[in-house]
Each structure stands twice: as structure tokens, then as C-alpha cells.
Amino acid sequence: MDHVKAPVERAKKPRISVLIPTFRRPQLLPKALASILAQQNCSLDAIEVIVVDNCPDASARPSFERARESAGGRLGLRYLHEPRPGISHARNRALTAARADHVLFLDDDLEAAPQLIATFLQALTQTSAAILVGPIEPVFEATSDGSGDIADADMRNYFSRRYAVPNLADISDDIARLGTANALFDRHACFPDFDPFEPSLGLLGGEDTLMFRTLQQRGLRFAWVQDAVVLEFVPRQRQTQAYVRLRRFRSGQIRVLTALRMSPPRPVDVVRWMAIGAVQALGYGLISAVFRAVGNPRWRHMLSRAYGGAGKCLWTERFLFPAYGATSRLGK
């Protein structure tokens, strides 16, 4: 069965369902779960946590069991096994199982700040926005010599999510940087249909971008909640410009792929993104070459931006690669 020693159904309906898809990160998942157990200024009865294990051999099950025992019944924890490969299947399965009216997506490499749930609950009383989004702050794994790219401001900014706007400001027109991590959704307003995450993008990536653009197209509002913070663990292998270049390249591809999969498709946007990408690839590439010639260390950052532009032009099947799963080139 999918449920592992599930606790007795609680009398109260939870106010927030925390949804955590996981794939072969048994060392990180317990930290994510512990951070929810440690929430302050809110009753744990207001929260349920649903872990969806997307690994075919259910590798997260032992870690989940240990976390459940540590919780001692204080927190509603449920385990689901979704063997179909791809993050879309895992997220859709989690949504189907959620009981609360609002769902909060966390990744298995995130830790919630102690006031996260209380902050979101307060924000729900102050705004009618259907989607609430909070900051992501990186926590870099120390390199073997204690140095590395973590001191690079460009690298730190890349792994962060911040908006320079007041609390509860409307960010509906600026969703390009959003992902599902640390985003709270009104489940009924946002997901009236089954399987909102496109399965065909489950291994490639961009399923959340397509979902966000669909919600934007429907006229739903997004709001920024500046104190709803989560910390993202960034392992050593991601603290390289080579990794950032690859991820920027994929982000560029996603701009075009989501335009093609919108309903209806937007061929004009495809042409627009390809034109923007060509300018970015050439412009940032030239700036990178000049910076490198004069010894400016930001040449690497500019080269990464050029890769992002190139991805908008090189998005056909021969240039695609898995972002999720066992064959991922992005370690997701």
C-alpha cells in the first residue's frame, strides 16, 4: 500500500497541505520534514505533509519511517509511492491526495524557516491572491578547501529567489523566475482540473513554468510574501559555472517549449523568444570575451547568460536532455 502506517484521520481538516516530491535524496528529506515539525506560532493540526517518492525502488521509505517515528503523531505525515518517472507525475499525485484548501510545495532539498507556515497563514488573511510566493535563500555545501564559487555574488544571486518589492505586492506580471518550490496555492482556484503538471515535461523540466503561465493567462493573482523563507541546500557539484551554464541553457529552452504547449500554442512567442535569445547569445558572448581579455572575473557570469540565450534558439529534440530522473544532467 502507498500509505505507511498512516496516523488515524484527524478530526480537523488541515489548513495547509505541504507537498514534498522526492527522488533519491534520503539524506536530505529528513531535514525537510524536521523543519516542518519545528514550525512555530501555528498548530501542527493545521498542517499535513505528503511525501511522494518518485524513485522506482521507493528509496525514501526508510527515511520517511524514521521521520514519522520522530514526529510521534504530532504531525500528519503520509507517504505515497509514484513509480512513474517524472516530477509531473509526483506533483500531480500529491495534489490528488491533498485534503487542505491550500497546498504548499517544498522540494526535498529545502528547509522551512520556523515561521514559514504561520507567515503564510497570516498572509492568507491579508490578500486575496490565489498564489503566494516566498523567498529562497541558498545554503552552500562547503568545498573541500573551504573556498570555491560560493563567494561569487553572481552565483549566490542565481540560487536565490528575491523580489525587491513590498510585502504582499502583486507580482503577477513578473513570474518568469518562479518555480513551485515555496509557493502556496489556493487548490480549488488554481487546480480545478486533474493533472495540472504536464506529464510530457516531467523529465525535461518546465512543467511548473507552463503551469504558472496557464494560471497567469487565467487572470489569477500572485503575491510576494517576503518573510516566508526557505533555505535551499546547494551541493558542491552545483557550485560551478559549468552547472549554471547548463541550467541557464535549459531555462532558455523552457521559454520556447512552454510557448509551444500553451493552450492555444503561441508561435509568435516562439519567434520572439528566439530573437531575444539570438541577441543575448551574441551580446553576452561578446561581453564575456571582452571581460576575459581584460581580466574581469565576471566573464564567466556573462558566458552563462549567453548560454541562456542559446537555449532559446536551440530547443529542438536533438538539443534536449533530461532534467529529472536517473539520467538527469542537472542532478535533480
Side-chain angles (χ1 to χ4, degrees), residues 140-141 143 147-152 154-156 158-159 234-248 300-301 304 329-330:
F140 292 96
E141 181 181 17
T143 55
S147 62
D149 287 318
I150 62 173
D152 187 326
D154 290 326
M155 181 72 68
R156 182 167 292 278
Y158 179 75
F159 284 102
V234 183
R236 287 190 295 268
Q237 61 267 30
R238 294 190 182 186
Q239 299 172 35
T240 66
Q241 290 293 343
Y243 173 83
V244 173
R245 285 196 294 268
L246 194 62
R247 213 163 104 164
R248 282 193 181 276
R300 296 179 180 86
H301 172 65
S304 294
R329 291 175 61 183
L330 293 176

Side-chain angles (χ1 to χ4, degrees), residues 14 19 36 39 56 69 146 148-149 151 160 164 196 221 226 256 263 310 323:
L19 312 181
I36 300 300
Q39 288 299 293
E69 292 172 3
D149 287 318
S160 301
R221 289 181 53 242
Q226 64 183 12
V256 177
S263 182

Side-chain angles (χ1 to χ4, degrees), residues 16-126:
I16 292 180
S17 296
V18 180
L19 312 181
I20 308 179
T22 186
F23 181 82
R24 292 182 180 170
R25 285 176 175 168
Q27 75 283 10
L28 294 179
L29 178 62
K31 296 179 180 179
L33 294 175
S35 72
I36 300 300
L37 187 63
Q39 288 299 293
Q40 300 174 2
N41 294 334
C42 72
S43 170
L44 292 182
D45 284 336
I47 312 167
E48 71 168 354
V49 180
I50 300 173
V51 174
V52 180
D53 189 352
N54 201 210
C55 180
D57 56 6
S59 61
R61 193 183 294 263
S63 294
F64 174 87
E65 274 287 1
R66 289 190 291 271
R68 186 193 61 80
E69 292 172 3
S70 297
R74 291 174 292 157
L75 180 66
L77 286 169
R78 285 192 283 162
Y79 173 96
L80 298 174
H81 183 217
E82 177 48 78
R84 292 176 295 175
I87 189 67
S88 294
H89 290 305
R91 288 179 175 147
N92 287 333
R93 182 73 181 279
L95 278 172
T96 301
R99 294 190 301 133
D101 292 329
H102 290 86
V103 295
L104 172 65
F105 280 98
L106 291 183
D107 291 342
D108 53 6
D109 57 355
L110 298 180
E111 292 184 53
Q115 303 286 339
L116 179 75
I117 301 298
T119 301
F120 272 129
L121 287 173
Q122 181 180 13
L124 287 175
T125 68
Q126 299 171 323

Side-chain angles (χ1 to χ4, degrees), residues 256-305:
V256 177
L257 293 176
T258 54
L260 288 170
R261 285 170 169 78
M262 290 291 291
S263 182
R266 298 183 172 182
V268 173
D269 285 352
V270 172
V271 175
R272 180 172 63 89
W273 281 123
M274 291 184 68
I276 292 172
V279 172
Q280 290 174 333
L282 293 172
Y284 286 123
L286 178 60
I287 294 172
S288 174
V290 172
F291 277 11
R292 187 172 187 178
V294 300
N296 187 322
R298 296 199 72 216
W299 71 268
R300 296 179 180 86
H301 172 65
M302 293 300 168
L303 183 59
S304 294
R305 300 292 293 267

